[in-house]
Amino acid sequence: TLDPIPGETLSTLLRERLRLTGTKIGCEEAECGACTVLVDGEPIMSCVYPAERADGKTIVTIEGLASTLTPSPSPVGRGGLHPLQEAFVEHGAVQCGFCIPGQILTSYALLKRNPNPTSDEIRFALKDTLCRCAGYPSIENAILAAAQSMRTGEPVQSPTHIPDSIHSHKTVGHIHLRPEAVEKVTGEAIFTDDLKFEGMLYAKAKRAMIPHGFLKKLDISRAKALPGVVAILTADDVPAEKTHGLVIYDWPVMVGVGERVRYVGDALAIVAAESQEIAEQASALIEAEFDLQPVITNPVQARQEGVPQIHEKGNLLKHIKVRKGDMEKGFAEADVILEHTFHTPTTDHAFIEPECSIGVPLPDGRMEIYVGSQIPYQDRIQVARVMGWEEERVRIVGQLMGGGFGGKEDVMGQIHVAMLANVTQRPVKLLFDRHESLLVHPKRHATQIRIKIGAKKDGRIVACESELYGDTGAYASLGEKVMTRATTHSAGPYDIEHVRADCYAMYTNNPPAGAFRGFGVTQS
């Protein structure tokens, strides 16, 4: 029995008031399905379902799935898991684990309605429950195995059933289960947003929301006066180094008055408040005025004469070169010459878990930062630089990541929560919503790649010339490294006597581009 809160969603009630954090939030727009729970047996997306509508209904979350077995949880397998949970573990359907509660509960509703589904029926039932890393075939196979177990009462079959007589001697083909898979199928696995600390404040960044310009004026007075706001910091409050980055320190912690905004995601101010709602209200009350500048939209434009220079050193991040042999000789020897210009787009990592960081100040003056990060030691270096501290004063407490793929290498909220937690001396959480995540974090590099290739009639390639343009966006991130990899792989895996490649990694006013699974080779 709970008192109603006007406007509260079922996901908020479950996660915040009942601390059933197995229900995950990926988008809060009823698009990803991570928040799926069962209401009177029907799968619903709890992030948009009004909590008051659940009055008098039976709610099943991932934490309670095993209890739906009658008369009692099955003794088969791992301590009374539901066959679906067991099958997801056995079939390797669990990787990051963030989508898994929604996947399993959606599957449970399907099997209650249809105990013997076809592959097509499974795919249709799960079409709105997204996954980025486990791979849908393993999920589908897990559901088929669970369905068979539930129909027959037999244990869940492994993907390759190896007779016990040879099991102990088999290495190749032996299934090794993910060690944390059981926690991920039961809702016990903890991600950053699942953590709570006593006295915790909630943060929000004010974003520029223009692609290019100079910040003329920033007024935080109305936001500061809002009840529940504890702190608002701007560029003037950055303790030491004003920029961060993975290779080049060119990304401002916040843009100050008189300074250049280079993309829509640039931070102008950061707010800490007693609730997420107050932090968002305060951020909306911050007023900014800009002197708008022409926008550089692509790397070819960025290299043209007379265009605005986004950074003091210009728009060229790096000219990357490969030289081998004699191109004139190579093309003269070729029987066939082909030339074409290709374009590859910007791509978002689309990890299901949005970025989240929590800064926790310790009594001895040190700072703990809880974050699902792919490179925690780099986080520590960058936080310490900005705070003006020795690295030993910063501890990054790595959390489970709900997907990464290169997209959780750059600093997002880590520095901001450290600053706010240091000023307020209270824990501070900064959680991106899906919209902010899409705007702010680095993407896969968009490229223009011209290839000229010469070959003999017997198929042997004798010459390859490449010209690459890489859109590294507003800041360097890992652009130099990514585009170097794209350049060195632009002639493919072939032994070619004559090779020339030129890559221009260019700054633009697009969101930064950095690491993304494949790391430049994907494009070339």
Tab-separated table of all heavy atoms in Angstrom, residues 23-48:
chain	number	residue	atom	x	y	z
A	23	THR	N	14.028	-3.378	-12.892
A	23	THR	CA	13.336	-2.697	-13.986
A	23	THR	C	14.224	-1.551	-14.458
A	23	THR	O	14.525	-0.645	-13.682
A	23	THR	CB	11.979	-2.155	-13.513
A	23	THR	OG1	11.190	-3.258	-13.060
A	23	THR	CG2	11.247	-1.435	-14.635
A	24	LYS	N	14.652	-1.579	-15.722
A	24	LYS	CA	15.637	-0.616	-16.225
A	24	LYS	C	14.993	0.495	-17.044
A	24	LYS	O	13.938	0.302	-17.650
A	24	LYS	CB	16.695	-1.326	-17.078
A	24	LYS	CG	17.440	-2.440	-16.335
A	24	LYS	CD	18.103	-1.937	-15.067
A	24	LYS	CE	18.849	-3.028	-14.332
A	24	LYS	NZ	19.260	-2.613	-12.980
A	25	ILE	N	15.663	1.643	-17.075
A	25	ILE	CA	15.198	2.793	-17.850
A	25	ILE	C	16.211	3.071	-18.948
A	25	ILE	O	17.352	3.443	-18.681
A	25	ILE	CB	15.036	4.046	-16.963
A	25	ILE	CG1	14.070	3.762	-15.817
A	25	ILE	CG2	14.562	5.230	-17.806
A	25	ILE	CD1	12.666	3.416	-16.258
A	26	GLY	N	15.774	2.893	-20.195
A	26	GLY	CA	16.661	3.144	-21.318
A	26	GLY	C	16.328	4.397	-22.094
A	26	GLY	O	17.204	5.047	-22.644
A	27	CYS	N	15.037	4.732	-22.176
A	27	CYS	CA	14.647	5.874	-23.022
A	27	CYS	C	13.589	6.763	-22.384
A	27	CYS	O	13.529	7.944	-22.687
A	27	CYS	CB	14.142	5.370	-24.369
A	27	CYS	SG	12.570	4.463	-24.264
A	28	GLU	N	12.750	6.215	-21.528
A	28	GLU	CA	11.582	6.916	-20.953
A	28	GLU	C	10.648	7.466	-22.022
A	28	GLU	O	9.987	8.469	-21.836
A	28	GLU	CB	12.033	8.025	-19.997
A	28	GLU	CG	12.552	7.473	-18.687
A	28	GLU	CD	12.550	8.467	-17.545
A	28	GLU	OE1	13.300	9.452	-17.623
A	28	GLU	OE2	11.796	8.246	-16.582
A	29	GLU	N	10.619	6.779	-23.171
A	29	GLU	CA	9.719	7.174	-24.257
A	29	GLU	C	8.969	5.972	-24.822
A	29	GLU	O	8.447	6.034	-25.930
A	29	GLU	CB	10.515	7.865	-25.369
A	29	GLU	CG	11.150	9.179	-24.937
A	29	GLU	CD	11.949	9.842	-26.052
A	29	GLU	OE1	12.016	9.260	-27.160
A	29	GLU	OE2	12.499	10.923	-25.816
A	30	ALA	N	8.950	4.870	-24.077
A	30	ALA	CA	8.258	3.650	-24.502
A	30	ALA	C	8.760	3.151	-25.850
A	30	ALA	O	7.993	2.687	-26.686
A	30	ALA	CB	6.745	3.886	-24.555
A	31	GLU	N	10.071	3.259	-26.075
A	31	GLU	CA	10.651	2.824	-27.342
A	31	GLU	C	11.566	1.618	-27.204
A	31	GLU	O	11.651	0.797	-28.117
A	31	GLU	CB	11.445	3.980	-27.979
A	31	GLU	CG	10.597	5.163	-28.422
A	31	GLU	CD	9.712	4.856	-29.621
A	31	GLU	OE1	9.897	3.797	-30.243
A	31	GLU	OE2	8.833	5.674	-29.920
A	32	CYS	N	12.286	1.492	-26.076
A	32	CYS	CA	13.339	0.467	-26.020
A	32	CYS	C	12.892	-0.820	-25.332
A	32	CYS	O	13.487	-1.872	-25.545
A	32	CYS	CB	14.582	1.021	-25.327
A	32	CYS	SG	14.442	1.213	-23.533
A	33	GLY	N	11.879	-0.753	-24.469
A	33	GLY	CA	11.356	-1.956	-23.830
A	33	GLY	C	12.110	-2.428	-22.603
A	33	GLY	O	11.727	-3.421	-21.982
A	34	ALA	N	13.195	-1.723	-22.212
A	34	ALA	CA	13.978	-2.170	-21.059
A	34	ALA	C	13.168	-2.131	-19.762
A	34	ALA	O	13.451	-2.870	-18.825
A	34	ALA	CB	15.231	-1.304	-20.909
A	35	CYS	N	12.153	-1.279	-19.715
A	35	CYS	CA	11.367	-1.090	-18.493
A	35	CYS	C	10.164	-2.026	-18.409
A	35	CYS	O	9.308	-1.859	-17.527
A	35	CYS	CB	10.879	0.360	-18.426
A	35	CYS	SG	9.658	0.741	-19.715
A	36	THR	N	10.066	-3.006	-19.298
A	36	THR	CA	8.870	-3.856	-19.366
A	36	THR	C	8.658	-4.650	-18.081
A	36	THR	O	9.580	-5.286	-17.566
A	36	THR	CB	8.974	-4.831	-20.555
A	36	THR	OG1	9.104	-4.072	-21.762
A	36	THR	CG2	7.747	-5.723	-20.643
A	37	VAL	N	7.429	-4.573	-17.562
A	37	VAL	CA	6.987	-5.422	-16.448
A	37	VAL	C	5.637	-6.005	-16.838
A	37	VAL	O	5.051	-5.626	-17.855
A	37	VAL	CB	6.881	-4.627	-15.123
A	37	VAL	CG1	8.229	-4.044	-14.722
A	37	VAL	CG2	5.821	-3.529	-15.214
A	38	LEU	N	5.140	-6.927	-16.012
A	38	LEU	CA	3.834	-7.535	-16.285
A	38	LEU	C	2.779	-6.919	-15.375
A	38	LEU	O	2.964	-6.867	-14.162
A	38	LEU	CB	3.892	-9.043	-16.057
A	38	LEU	CG	4.954	-9.799	-16.862
A	38	LEU	CD1	4.954	-11.273	-16.481
A	38	LEU	CD2	4.729	-9.634	-18.357
A	39	VAL	N	1.711	-6.436	-15.960
A	39	VAL	CA	0.558	-5.922	-15.211
A	39	VAL	C	-0.609	-6.849	-15.514
A	39	VAL	O	-1.075	-6.910	-16.655
A	39	VAL	CB	0.224	-4.470	-15.603
A	39	VAL	CG1	-1.016	-3.990	-14.872
A	39	VAL	CG2	1.409	-3.551	-15.306
A	40	ASP	N	-1.034	-7.598	-14.488
A	40	ASP	CA	-2.060	-8.631	-14.685
A	40	ASP	C	-1.700	-9.539	-15.865
A	40	ASP	O	-2.544	-9.900	-16.691
A	40	ASP	CB	-3.444	-8.012	-14.876
A	40	ASP	CG	-4.035	-7.520	-13.556
A	40	ASP	OD1	-3.491	-7.878	-12.489
A	40	ASP	OD2	-5.024	-6.758	-13.595
A	41	GLY	N	-0.422	-9.886	-15.960
A	41	GLY	CA	0.051	-10.828	-16.965
A	41	GLY	C	0.395	-10.241	-18.309
A	41	GLY	O	0.966	-10.929	-19.160
A	42	GLU	N	0.068	-8.956	-18.535
A	42	GLU	CA	0.339	-8.335	-19.828
A	42	GLU	C	1.626	-7.508	-19.748
A	42	GLU	O	1.829	-6.751	-18.790
A	42	GLU	CB	-0.818	-7.422	-20.245
A	42	GLU	CG	-2.055	-8.180	-20.701
A	42	GLU	CD	-1.778	-9.044	-21.921
A	42	GLU	OE1	-1.150	-8.550	-22.886
A	42	GLU	OE2	-2.156	-10.237	-21.906
A	43	PRO	N	2.496	-7.607	-20.755
A	43	PRO	CA	3.723	-6.802	-20.736
A	43	PRO	C	3.410	-5.340	-21.052
A	43	PRO	O	2.765	-5.040	-22.059
A	43	PRO	CB	4.579	-7.430	-21.842
A	43	PRO	CG	3.596	-8.057	-22.781
A	43	PRO	CD	2.415	-8.481	-21.949
A	44	ILE	N	3.832	-4.442	-20.174
A	44	ILE	CA	3.637	-3.005	-20.420
A	44	ILE	C	4.973	-2.289	-20.181
A	44	ILE	O	5.813	-2.756	-19.414
A	44	ILE	CB	2.516	-2.401	-19.532
A	44	ILE	CG1	2.882	-2.510	-18.040
A	44	ILE	CG2	1.185	-3.055	-19.800
A	44	ILE	CD1	3.457	-1.252	-17.471
A	45	MET	N	5.131	-1.169	-20.859
A	45	MET	CA	6.337	-0.360	-20.662
A	45	MET	C	6.081	0.592	-19.503
A	45	MET	O	5.313	1.549	-19.615
A	45	MET	CB	6.710	0.364	-21.946
A	45	MET	CG	7.083	-0.608	-23.061
A	45	MET	SD	7.860	0.161	-24.465
A	45	MET	CE	7.817	-1.214	-25.644
A	46	SER	N	6.722	0.302	-18.388
A	46	SER	CA	6.387	0.985	-17.132
A	46	SER	C	6.865	2.425	-17.090
A	46	SER	O	6.432	3.190	-16.234
A	46	SER	CB	6.977	0.214	-15.950
A	46	SER	OG	8.393	0.144	-16.030
A	47	CYS	N	7.735	2.840	-18.042
A	47	CYS	CA	8.247	4.216	-17.998
A	47	CYS	C	7.187	5.239	-18.398
A	47	CYS	O	7.339	6.428	-18.121
A	47	CYS	CB	9.484	4.357	-18.877
A	47	CYS	SG	9.167	4.333	-20.654
A	48	VAL	N	6.118	4.805	-19.077
A	48	VAL	CA	5.042	5.732	-19.456
A	48	VAL	C	3.699	5.314	-18.858
A	48	VAL	O	2.678	5.928	-19.146
A	48	VAL	CB	4.913	5.848	-20.995
A	48	VAL	CG1	6.167	6.459	-21.601
A	48	VAL	CG2	4.615	4.495	-21.632
